Amino acid sequence: MSYPKLSIFAFLLIQTSLLCVLDAADKKRSYTNPKEVDADYAIQGEYSGELGADNEKYGMQLIARGAGKFDAYSFSGGLPGDGFDPAADERAGPYKFATKDGVISAEHEEMKAVVKGGALVVTGSSGEALGTLKRVDRKSKTLGKKPEKGAIVLFDGSDAKSWKNGKMTKEGHLLRGTESLKKFQDCYLHMEFRVPYEPFNRGQGRGNS
């Protein structure tokens, strides 16, 4: 009888289709909890240091693209806000980093950069050391700032009563898609927000401010 075979085939077809859908959904996943991210999350970010015989300051930003791949941009003079001159716009890239045999690296002209021990180790065509860019975690000086005397506190993580249809996460964060009940004109606003980690998404599909 052919019915059992047909049933098994149909089951396998449905199961395979389901796995494909789940895999595609996972690639579009939006991470909002740092404890649930992939290994690339710890690699992406900013790197700073000196390169070459003249010890010229450079900065580099690595952007996770999913599955061990990264785009990188270099900044002559240092990272934006730390030596880089926007007027000169001496920015280069993107350089394509990829993971092979557990090693994340990129090659460009006569240079090679390898991610190792929380840094980018840069070498020349003959393997000579050109310098190291260490990963940095810059934070705003106003991060966690306390409200000044007389300030109107719209959200402190305890409730969303000051927001129209405001909703919160279980971690105490205010979700997007709302507006304050109070209206303001000219004012000073202190706001802190978390951008989701979305390595497989592109352009405006990624988390942005």
Side-chain angles (χ1 to χ4, degrees), residues 10-28:
F11 171 75
L12 291 175
L13 182 61
I14 293 172
Q15 186 180 44
T16 303
S17 300
L18 180 59
L19 288 174
C20 291
V21 171
L22 289 175
D23 182 62
D26 185 63
K27 287 187 176 181
K28 294 295 183 181

Side-chain angles (χ1 to χ4, degrees), residues 117-157:
L120 283 173
V121 180
V122 184
T123 56
S125 58
S126 301
E128 72 277 15
L130 297 180
T132 299
L133 305 181
K134 295 183 179 180
R135 192 175 188 277
V136 295
D137 185 13
R138 297 190 290 174
K139 295 183 179 180
S140 171
K141 295 179 180 179
T142 61
L143 183 65
K145 182 179 180 180
K146 301 298 182 182
E148 297 181 4
K149 185 177 180 180
I152 298 174
V153 179
L154 297 174
F155 183 73
D156 62 3

Side-chain angles (χ1 to χ4, degrees), residues 181-199:
L181 296 175
K182 291 185 177 181
K183 304 300 180 183
F184 302 89
Q185 293 183 337
D186 293 342
C187 65
Y188 288 100
L189 179 66
H190 176 84
M191 179 173 63
E192 298 178 8
F193 55 91
R194 173 176 289 177
V195 178
Y197 171 60
E198 300 173 313

